[in-house]
Amino acid sequence: MATAGKVIKCRAAVAWEPTAPLKMEEIEVAPPQEGEIRIKVVATGVCHTDLYHLFEGKDKRGFPSVLGHEGAGVVESVGPGVTDFKPGDKVIPLFLSQCGECKFCKSPKTNLCDRNWSSKYYDIMSDPITRFTCRGRPILQFMGTSTFSEYTVINQIAVGKIDDDAPLDRVCLLSCGISTGYGAAVNTAGVTPGSVCAVFGLGAVGLAAVMGCKNAGASRIFAVDINEEKFEKAKVFGATEFLNPKAYNKPISEVLAEMTNGGVDFSLECVGNTEVMRTALESCVKGWGVSVLVGWTDVKDFSARPIQLISGKTWKGSLFGGFKSKDSVPNLVCDYMSGKIKLDEFITHKMSLEQVNDAVNLMKTGQCIRCILNISK
Ligand code: NAD
Ligand code: ZN
């Protein structure tokens, strides 16, 4: 590799400050250090968490930054001590690492890895250490990944090696949204055959949760969204009933309770809104209902009446669908290639990296499920 060991200058979309449009820049990407891998990004999705950082979280310390965390690419070069990867390998960057050695990685109870950026820096959504510079300034690597760039450098504990035949412009979706929603249903909620489920928010994360409920054998799947244009897609993934909370003059939890004789067995919040989180909990049946928080937000506290939990409901959260990232993503790629899970159906738009602001706007205005940015060939 002619570029190995050298700084690479390449194109990236830089978020210089909150709420401002991303700007195409030439950045410098340092060579990988001990245990690190430099990746040529081929394709990336745009996820709501990118928008969250830009528009909703707004913590100034998280800027300037290169957003994007739903990518796939090819190894360009590896740093000292990397033996499991070689140039040319197809890989998926992981916003959640799996070091395999911390007490969390060693426990089957969780997929959280203590060495992940989120252990210490979830408020700024990146590790302060970065391999990017632009115009003489360090540029943060959002969620440890930064896929809105032609090249990125990631520690090997946060890279998954995938099948050589995997189509990168589709399996990139497995590095965030689809694994997250799907796993929240099959792992975290533990949806059971014959159960009744409700999914709140029908973006890619929510639709993947619908797919998880269906694959787990749910008998009824309520798809809930304030944007009725999402219902058609939800049907494709297995939803059986469709509700717009705005179309009722009583809380949607009451509507669901009436339709299900007391509430659903499993509910999943895939919006990132504390009011919806409460509603999802209230929509569960007493005694055994389980509600899972999947949407990402850290700007407000949530609240609920204690009786909701005293009456036997369980309220829990899910990061990356509960999947141990390095172990699971290669298997999920195989599940897609063998037809067990869908990916193509989530893709509504394809664009170039230069059009990233258009892609962000499509999501902001609810006009897309996933827009894939083709970064390089
Ligand atoms: P998206 O913007 O594509 O989808 C959100 C959906 O919620 C939209 O269809 C919108 O119409 C709907 N919605 C908005 N307000 C609503 C309301 N009051 N009631 C019902 N529906 C409502 O977003 P996405 O990419 O699918 O991401 C969804 C959430 O998941 C975001 O908060 C994102 O940050 C989060 N996320 C979490 C993780 C994790 O590991 N926990 C990973 C990825 C994404
Ligand atoms: Zn995401």
Side-chain angles (χ1 to χ4, degrees):
M1 281 282 161
T3 46
K6 298 178 190 153
V7 169
I8 291 182
K9 291 187 178 193
C10 70
R11 293 174 313 128
V14 176
W16 286 103
E17 54 182 335
T19 65
L22 309 184
K23 198 158 176 276
M24 287 307 299
E25 300 277 7
E26 184 180 82
I27 65 164
E28 296 88 34
V29 181
Q33 298 186 11
E34 178 82 27
E36 294 177 346
I37 301 173
R38 190 158 58 186
I39 297 166
K40 180 182 183 181
V41 181
V42 172
T44 180
V46 178
C47 167
H48 200 107
T49 312
D50 300 308
L51 274 70
Y52 170 81
H53 190 63
L54 193 57
F55 299 111
E56 297 157 39
K58 294 186 192 166
D59 188 321
K60 277 267 185 195
R61 293 169 303 162
F63 295 85
S65 166
V66 171
L67 304 179
H69 60 283
E70 204 173 71
V74 175
V75 174
E76 174 269 339
S77 63
V78 300
V82 176
T83 52
D84 294 348
F85 295 84
K86 59 180 189 312
D89 283 347
K90 283 189 176 176
V91 290
I92 285 191
L94 302 162
F95 75 81
L96 177 59
S97 57
Q98 185 187 353
C99 75
E101 286 161 11
C102 72
K103 73 170 180 184
F104 300 95
C105 279
K106 281 185 175 156
S107 167
K109 292 181 188 167
T110 181
N111 64 337
L112 298 187
C113 169
D114 210 26
R115 283 183 65 192
N116 202 47
W117 58 271
S118 58
S119 300
K120 282 195 209 147
Y121 305 108
Y122 66 89
D123 46 358
I124 63 168
M125 305 284 285
S126 24
D127 194 306
I129 294 170
T130 169
R131 303 284 169 249
F132 293 173
T133 52
C134 179
R135 300 170 191 261
R137 287 179 70 182
I139 307 292
L140 296 174
Q141 292 183 238
F142 179 65
M143 295 178 89
T145 51
S146 287
T147 55
F148 295 170
S149 170
E150 288 177 299
Y151 287 87
T152 187
V153 177
I154 304 179
N155 194 294
Q156 60 184 345
I157 63 172
V159 181
K161 184 148 83 176
I162 59 168
D163 194 294
D164 284 339
D165 295 326
L168 297 177
D169 60 351
R170 277 164 270 165
V171 299
C172 59
L173 295 179
L174 289 168
S175 62
C176 183
I178 310 314
S179 307
T180 293
Y182 185 74
V186 301
N187 300 328
T188 316
V191 171
T192 47
S195 60
V196 177
C197 301
V199 176
F200 292 77
L202 304 172
V205 175
L207 293 172
V210 169
M211 177 166 76
C213 294
K214 174 159 188 217
N215 283 14
S219 61
R220 294 173 80 185
I221 305 169
F222 289 90
V224 185
D225 201 300
I226 52 174
N227 179 352
E228 293 189 13
E229 283 171 20
K230 307 275 177 148
F231 293 163
E232 210 180 296
K233 271 281 179 197
K235 203 171 196 173
V236 172
F237 290 102
T240 57
E241 284 143 279
F242 308 88
L243 299 173
N244 176 358
K246 288 192 166 167
Y248 297 87
N249 53 16
K250 57 181 158 188
I252 203 69
S253 53
E254 280 179 31
V255 175
L256 279 163
E258 283 164 15
M259 294 175 82
T260 58
N261 189 22
V264 302
D265 301 307
F266 300 97
S267 69
L268 297 114
E269 197 277 357
C270 303
V271 179
N273 174 318
T274 51
E275 290 303 316
V276 181
M277 290 172 180
R278 177 180 184 146
T279 302
L281 175 69
E282 289 170 346
S283 301
C284 284
V285 67
K286 69 182 178 197
W288 60 75
V290 175
S291 189
V292 181
L293 311 186
V294 190
W296 183 285
T297 183
D298 188 37
V299 288
K300 264 199 222 161
D301 291 349
F302 55 58
S303 58
R305 304 297 291 269
I307 188 66
Q308 291 291 327
L309 301 183
I310 294 167
S311 65
K313 301 183 190 181
T314 303
W315 212 6
K316 58 207 289 203
S318 183
L319 188 69
F320 197 57
F323 284 114
K324 291 215 185 249
S325 61
K326 258 175 98 90
D327 289 347
S328 304
V329 163
N331 295 335
L332 287 163
V333 167
C334 294
D335 286 348
Y336 162 66
M337 290 170 75
S338 68
K340 189 177 161 199
I341 59 172
K342 299 181 201 288
L343 287 182
D344 303 1
E345 291 77 358
F346 290 98
I347 301 168
T348 51
H349 298 76
K350 288 185 180 178
M351 292 185 180
S352 67
L353 179 57
E354 279 69 19
Q355 293 168 293
V356 62
N357 288 306
D358 296 334
V360 166
N361 203 42
L362 279 177
M363 173 160 281
K364 208 175 169 193
T365 51
Q367 295 177 72
C368 72
I369 300 299
R370 275 298 188 260
C371 177
I372 302 292
L373 302 176
N374 289 303
I375 310 289
S376 49
K377 291 230 182 322

